[in-house]
Every structure is written in C-alpha cells, then in structure tokens.
Amino acid sequence: MPDLYDVAAIGNAIVDVIAPADDAFLAANALDKGAMMLVDAERSAMLYGKMAKGVETSGGSAGNTIAGVASFGGKAAYLGKVADDPLGQTYTAEMRAIGAHFEPTPLVGGAATAVSMINVTPDGQRTMCTYLGASVEFTDADVTPAVIEGAKIVYLEGYLFDAEAARKAFAKAAALARGSGRMLALTLSDGFVVDRHRDGLMGFIESQVDLVFANEVEICSLFQTDSFEAAMGEITLRAKIAAVTRSEKGSVVATNAESYAVPAFPVEKVVDTTGAGDQYAAGFMFGLARGRSLPDCARLGSLAASEVISHYGPRPQVSLQALAAEKGL
C-alpha cells in the first residue's frame, strides 16, 4: 500500500464551545478545574445556557491534531462519527476545508453531534464538560482499511476508551496497522481517562502501541507513581517511543536507549491551553513521518503548542509550516 497520509487519526468528533470563566463559576457549577468531565445532553444544555459568550469551533482531540498536521503541510486523514445534523455537517465541511480526508457515515435518527463546553480561567487552564453524543457510536465498521493501511502513523485518541464499541474499533485499526507495517500511536488524553481504564490502556500499550503521547500527570497516573523519572522508565519498557509534555518545562522524548529533554517555546501570554497537547502531537508526528530526529520532532511539537496556547481555540490560527520555516525548523 502506498503512503497516502503522514498521519491518520481516530477520535471523538466534537464541536468545542469555548468561553472565559472564573474559579467562582467553576465552583458554582461543581466543575473540577483542569479536568474533562462527561455529561449528558441535559447538563450540557444547562452549562451552555450559563456560560459566557465564546467561540464555537470544530474540535475533538484527534481532530485538532489532524488540523495541526495539515497546517504543517502534512497529508492527513481523520475517522470520527458525527450525526446527520447541522453541527455534523459543519464539522465535516471544516475538516475538509483544512485539507484533511474525512468521509464519515453520519448517524441518522440517533444522538446529536458531540459538544464540549470548555471554560477557560484567567490562568489559561481549560475545564471541559463533554457530551459525547454521536461520537460514541463510532464502531469498527467506521474504520476504513484503505485509510489505516495508507498512513505512515495511525494515531488513536485515548478518550475513545470510554466507549466499548470504539475499543473494538481500536483493535481493528491496530490489526490493520500491524498488518501493513504502520506505526501505531496513542495519546492518553486525560488523567481521568487513565484512572478509568488503566488496565485496558496498559494492555493495549504493551501489545500494540509504538508511540505514546502523554503529559506528566497522565504518565505518572498510568504507573501510579509520584516520580516522573520512574514513570518514564516504565513506559520505555513498553513502547518504542514516549513523548511526554511538562507544560512550561517543555517535553521529554525517550526510547529504551536514549532520552532528550526539549524546552518549551516561549509564549508572551498564555491565553488558553485547550489543544496544547493535541498540537504537540501534531508537530511531533509530522516530523516523525518526514524522517526528522526525535529532538526535532519534539521541537516541532513545542512550536505548535506555543502557537495554539497564545489564542482561544484548539487549532492553529497561522500556518505552522510557515512558522516552522521562520524558526528554522
């Protein structure tokens, strides 16, 4: 199979509603600061009615990553489930507009397209309440073999571990990737995801995954340790490559033979951390797919993350390809 894509991703197709908030708003609505919480349609609508005026944009963790890969000039494909409703149609149009391959089979007569209410506090932290809606109806039937087999890297979003049908889709994608000699990457997505699915994630990583993305909290949670160094030692026994972000400390990229600490790119003001990890993964995988060294992959990831945290919204607002060229990357 020829290389059709640098990265193909599977994730929850979600429309993001992003608005400013203060800590008092979070407390008044029983929201855990910095976390992603799953809510039903009723609570989602209630929060939407209470939130400040904000922006609405196509999102979803892996979808944001694909937007980043495309912004770098990469060839990207996305697999996710939307409903046959206005938000689903908008999501599809926006994914195609950025140059990504996205040909979903919309859900008819069921749940609405997924929505995530994201409240951003003045320190840039984002607190997410997500109604998964149609996104959890993604099944192994939605995994397109030609897309998986044609991608240099197949990227799976940890949030999907919340849906049993999606876990079966992961298994199918992993088998297709393995059978065609493709690299399989997984992002842990959120500390709460790790807490809910630690055993399942560990087993999947040990048996299938080549490249793991996480932040410091997630990787320590996975191994139930307070020691970042111990967690890194454990993950490199299980995956070929681990790329772990540490906020303003930058990131650490490690294999079982080598480790690199790469600083974060400076940012004048952190406005909104939504999408930072997603864009880091985008830069890293774009570099890896194009044969760059691991430190260079991490630098591309840090550059993309620095761009997205400088404004509201989880996707790049400038060309990452041009920005990389400007920075000599």
Side-chain angles (χ1 to χ4, degrees):
M1 173 66 100
D3 294 334
L4 302 177
Y5 311 106
D6 293 302
V7 181
I10 297 177
N12 286 324
I14 300 174
V15 175
D16 289 335
V17 179
I18 307 170
D22 55 24
D23 289 342
F25 179 87
L26 302 184
N29 290 282
L31 304 179
D32 295 327
K33 186 174 181 177
M36 192 285 284
M37 292 154 280
L38 299 177
V39 297
D40 59 18
E42 182 179 1
R43 181 154 167 76
S44 177
M46 181 274 291
L47 287 169
Y48 183 80
K50 290 185 174 182
M51 286 169 62
K53 183 176 176 57
V55 298
E56 297 186 11
T57 180
S58 293
S61 177
N64 296 336
T65 295
I66 287 301
V69 172
S71 185
F72 272 110
K75 296 176 290 183
Y78 183 60
L79 299 174
K81 196 74 170 179
V82 296
D84 184 20
D85 59 17
L87 283 180
Q89 292 159 11
T90 297
Y91 192 98
T92 300
E94 289 186 355
M95 289 300 292
R96 292 172 178 170
I98 63 173
H101 174 88
F102 184 50
E103 298 291 339
T105 302
L107 181 66
V108 178
T113 295
V115 179
S116 184
M117 306 299 165
I118 304 175
N119 287 283
V120 183
T121 42
D123 57 4
Q125 288 294 306
R126 84 284 185 275
T127 301
M128 300 184 289
C129 290
T130 302
Y131 166 60
L132 292 173
S135 70
V136 297
E137 301 297 330
F138 186 91
T139 71
D140 53 358
D142 294 301
V143 177
T144 309
V147 170
I148 300 300
E149 294 170 349
K152 294 179 183 177
I153 303 173
V154 178
Y155 179 70
L156 306 178
E157 178 186 309
Y159 284 127
L160 262 72
F161 259 76
D162 280 315
E164 183 178 352
R167 291 197 294 274
K168 293 179 181 178
F170 272 18
K172 179 179 178 179
L176 289 167
R178 286 285 178 211
S180 52
R182 303 308 192 178
M183 174 174 279
L184 194 73
L186 171 73
T187 174
L188 296 185
S189 293
D190 188 280
F192 285 84
V193 171
V194 176
D195 290 340
R196 287 192 293 268
H197 305 293
R198 183 174 290 105
D199 291 344
L201 286 166
M202 191 77 79
F204 190 67
I205 290 167
E206 291 176 343
S207 63
Q208 304 291 343
V209 176
D210 301 299
L211 168 60
V212 171
F213 289 99
N215 62 29
E216 187 170 2
V217 171
E218 293 157 4
I219 202 69
C220 288
S221 175
L222 183 65
F223 295 103
Q224 296 180 287
T225 178
D226 293 329
S227 169
F228 175 73
E229 290 73 19
M232 290 301 297
E234 291 291 339
I235 193 62
T236 53
L237 295 175
R238 294 165 170 82
K240 293 179 181 177
I241 305 170
V244 182
T245 56
R246 308 186 76 186
S247 299
E248 70 278 0
K249 297 177 185 176
S251 65
V252 174
V253 183
T255 68
N256 62 4
E258 54 192 349
S259 179
Y260 305 96
V262 177
F265 270 84
V267 178
E268 185 174 332
K269 178 177 171 56
V270 175
V271 175
D272 174 17
T273 59
T274 308
D278 304 335
Q279 296 310 320
Y280 178 88
F284 192 98
M285 289 190 292
F286 172 76
L288 200 59
R290 298 301 176 96
R292 303 289 289 273
S293 69
L294 292 181
D296 274 355
C297 291
R299 292 183 188 103
L300 287 167
S302 293
L303 178 66
S306 72
E307 190 282 334
V308 83
I309 65 175
S310 67
H311 57 75
Y312 277 111
R315 298 186 176 186
Q317 291 186 352
V318 303
S319 165
L320 294 178
Q321 183 178 34
L323 189 61
E326 177 188 322
K327 300 296 184 182
L329 292 174

